[in-house]
């Protein structure tokens, strides 16, 4: 396994003369978006020259020290719909100005796929334009807006964002998705010459590996991530109360529902049937995943391909996940993990018991690790993006 940090140090030796330089453009970055963007920059900087244009980058982000950065503003997306809309438009104008002054051959809009004005501007400036969605942004926005606005209004606004995104797909030279299934769920055709359906992120397989042999693991299942509505945490709380006494359910992470979980599951926590670990530092995540027999992720269809799934499989931990977006290409039912048919708690609990009773889990654990080593290592990711950039290098406006 090649460490991406070492790649960064010697990038002048490894970058290839036949690959175009890349300017990555993103929307304001929260923690999850920052992690995905850092992953993409690590890959691109290992094979070519790359710069980032973004807004509201976390102050402690490693990106600041490791990559060329243009920060449009320190303001985020905004809390209200009106503020978010105003900043959305203003950031697009700022992006147009910055892109006009850049000399990179390729502009890659990462997550910012509905930023139509700078996408059009980049095309008019003779740049090769790629867009890479990170998930179903219009659906995510609709779910958030339904907390503030009438459902009909939220649906109309989300539809407008989806229309902008589709227009961006049409204007760009190419669309990059994490996996072929993610492309299909975005109504794109993986076989289309303008679609590049293999842009998934990588896993640091030297860190995320099997520390605890699968046969030696305790009967512990769990969830790792943000404790919020989108991740299905309320449903998992009910699941945790329905499992047999010999199965422990562990919540690893922190979030808005942490206090609610502590109150709602107080009896189960006292009895040792449920555990809440709280926040776990990133360097402790591999061990946290190695301590599980099964990871459960009943996510809503808003994400592209959760990093936690890739990291769990790298640690030899089978995953029981909703078959949304790019997940089915990685969580292959009965081979590397299992797909959730219903988010209803009783069905989820029954599914967990059924999975833990299988006698081939050790083999499934090995299959997951093998898949990550073969397709989602850092070197494999670099090779995928080499292919993408070579393919688009001949494009012109």
């Amino acid at each position: 396994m090649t460490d991406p940090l070492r790649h960064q140090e010697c990038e002048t030796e490894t970058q290839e003369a036949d690959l175009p330089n890349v300017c990555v453009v993103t929307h304001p970055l929260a923690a999850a978006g920052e992690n995905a963007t850092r992953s993409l920059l690590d890959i691109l900087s290992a094979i070519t020259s790359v710069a980032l244009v973004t807004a509201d980058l976390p102050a402690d982000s490693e990106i600041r020290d490791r990559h060329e950065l243009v920060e449009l503003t320190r303001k985020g997306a905004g809390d209200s719909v009106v503020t978010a809309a105003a900043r959305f438009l203003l950031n697009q104008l700022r992006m147009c100005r910055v892109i006009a002054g850049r000399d990179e051959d390729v502009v890659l809009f990462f997550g910012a796929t509905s930023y139509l004005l700078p996408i059009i501007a980049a095309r008019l400036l003779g740049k090769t334009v790629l867009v890479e969605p990170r998930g179903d942004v219009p659906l995510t926005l609709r779910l958030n807006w339904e907390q503030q606005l009438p459902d009909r209004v939220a649906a109309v606004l989300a539809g407008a964002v989806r229309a902008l995104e589709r227009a961006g797909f049409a204007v760009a030279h190419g669309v990059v998705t994490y996996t072929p299934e993610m492309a299909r769920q975005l109504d794109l055709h993986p076989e289309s010459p303008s679609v590049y359906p293999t842009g998934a992120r990588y896993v640091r397989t030297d860190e995320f590996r099997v520390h605890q042999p699968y046969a030696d693991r305790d009967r512990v299942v769990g969830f790792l991530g943000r404790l919020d509505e989108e991740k299905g945490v309320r449903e998992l709380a009910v699941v945790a109360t329905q499992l047999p006494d010999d199965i422990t359910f562990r919540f690893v992470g922190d979030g808005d529902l942490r206090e609610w979980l502590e109150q709602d599951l107080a009896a189960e926590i006292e009895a040792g049937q449920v555990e809440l670990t709280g926040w776990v530092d990133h360097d402790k995540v591999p061990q946290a995943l190695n301590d599980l027999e099964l990871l459960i992720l009943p996510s809503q269809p808003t994400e592209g391909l959760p990093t936690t799934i890739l990291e769990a499989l790298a640690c030899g931990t089978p995953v029981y996940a909703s078959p949304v977006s790019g997940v089915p290409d990685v969580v292959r039912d009965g081979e590397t993990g299992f797909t959730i048919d219903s988010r209803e708690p009783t069905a989820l609990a029954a599914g967990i018991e059924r999975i833990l009773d299988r006698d081939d889990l050790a083999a499934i654990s090995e299959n997951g690790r093998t898949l990550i080593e073969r397709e989602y290592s850092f070197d494999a990711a670099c090779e995928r993006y080499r292919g993408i950039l070579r393919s688009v290098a001949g494009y012109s406006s």
Side-chain angles (χ1 to χ4, degrees), residues 169-384:
F169 290 168
V171 172
H173 289 104
V175 184
V176 182
T177 63
Y178 291 150
T179 75
E181 187 58 33
M182 179 180 178
R184 294 186 188 96
Q185 293 200 21
L186 290 171
D187 296 325
L188 300 168
H189 299 290
E191 299 80 14
S192 169
S194 63
V195 175
Y196 303 90
T198 56
R201 300 182 304 280
Y202 71 93
V203 178
R204 296 183 179 180
T205 49
D206 54 344
E207 299 174 22
F208 289 88
R209 57 187 175 85
V210 179
H211 299 286
Q212 179 86 345
Y214 193 80
D216 296 341
R217 301 186 188 188
D218 293 331
R219 204 166 170 82
V220 179
V221 302
F223 167 87
L224 188 151
R226 298 191 313 276
L227 303 180
D228 60 24
E229 301 282 355
E230 181 183 341
K231 301 293 186 179
V233 169
R234 290 190 188 275
E235 290 87 347
L236 290 179
V238 179
V239 170
T241 67
Q242 297 182 356
L243 293 174
D245 292 344
D246 64 334
I247 300 175
T248 300
F249 198 103
R250 182 176 296 159
F251 290 92
V252 182
D254 206 348
D256 294 340
L257 294 181
R258 168 72 182 276
E259 185 176 345
W260 177 83
L261 282 173
E262 291 175 338
Q263 296 174 356
D264 195 66
L265 299 176
E268 288 77 10
I269 294 171
E270 178 68 23
Q273 292 176 260
V274 174
E275 298 175 359
L276 273 66
T277 70
W279 176 261
V280 174
D281 290 337
H282 190 260
D283 60 351
K284 300 293 195 304
V285 172
Q287 187 56 58
L289 290 170
N290 269 265
D291 289 339
L292 299 178
E293 270 200 304
L294 186 68
L295 179 74
I296 300 97
L297 290 177
S299 300
Q300 296 189 35
T302 56
E303 300 181 275
L305 180 61
T307 301
T308 304
I309 287 178
L310 301 178
E311 293 174 342
L313 296 182
C315 293
T317 303
V319 178
Y320 187 31
S322 301
V324 298
S325 198
V327 172
D329 288 312
V330 178
V331 181
R332 302 170 183 175
D333 198 51
E335 179 184 345
T336 62
F338 308 91
T339 54
I340 292 173
D341 295 325
S342 170
R343 286 163 50 101
E344 194 276 321
T346 300
L348 275 173
I352 291 170
E353 290 188 63
R354 185 169 59 251
I355 290 168
L356 293 185
D357 285 341
R358 294 176 64 115
D359 58 9
D360 60 347
L361 287 179
I364 290 173
S365 168
E366 291 182 13
N367 292 341
R369 173 66 186 183
T370 299
L371 172 69
I372 297 301
E373 288 181 322
R374 184 178 66 245
E375 299 184 22
Y376 297 100
S377 68
F378 183 75
D379 291 335
C382 287
E383 190 57 36
R384 287 195 297 274

Side-chain angles (χ1 to χ4, degrees), residues 25-200:
V25 180
T26 75
H27 47 55
L29 290 176
E34 190 267 346
N35 289 334
T37 302
R38 185 178 65 242
S39 174
L40 175 65
L41 293 173
D42 285 342
I43 295 166
L44 292 173
S45 65
I47 59 177
T48 190
S49 176
V50 64
L52 175 66
V53 177
T54 190
D56 195 30
L57 185 67
D60 59 351
S61 172
E62 297 176 12
I63 291 174
R64 295 184 180 278
D65 298 324
R66 291 168 53 184
H67 301 285
E68 182 181 353
L69 171 67
V70 178
E71 194 165 15
L72 302 171
T73 176
R74 296 289 296 150
K75 296 179 179 178
D79 295 327
S80 72
V81 174
V82 173
T83 300
R87 292 180 181 176
F88 173 71
L89 178 58
L90 184 56
N91 281 339
Q92 289 191 74
L93 297 175
R94 289 167 172 157
M95 288 174 182
C96 292
R97 185 183 70 248
V98 171
I99 291 170
R102 305 294 306 180
D103 59 3
E104 287 87 1
D105 305 301
V106 173
V107 182
L108 193 164
F109 291 85
F110 184 55
T113 52
S114 59
Y115 283 60
L116 186 58
L117 288 179
I119 290 173
I120 292 174
R123 280 292 307 248
L124 293 175
L125 290 164
K127 309 284 189 181
T128 297
V129 179
L130 294 174
V131 294
E132 182 168 353
R134 289 181 43 231
D136 193 332
V137 172
L139 177 58
T140 302
L141 291 173
R142 195 193 81 193
L143 294 173
N144 290 335
W145 286 335
E146 284 175 352
Q147 308 304 312
Q148 309 174 46
L149 303 167
D151 289 355
R152 182 179 295 275
V153 175
V156 169
L157 291 174
V161 174
R162 191 172 297 280
L164 288 172
E165 182 178 70
R166 298 300 172 193
F169 290 168
V171 172
H173 289 104
V175 184
V176 182
T177 63
Y178 291 150
T179 75
E181 187 58 33
M182 179 180 178
R184 294 186 188 96
Q185 293 200 21
L186 290 171
D187 296 325
L188 300 168
H189 299 290
E191 299 80 14
S192 169
S194 63
V195 175
Y196 303 90
T198 56

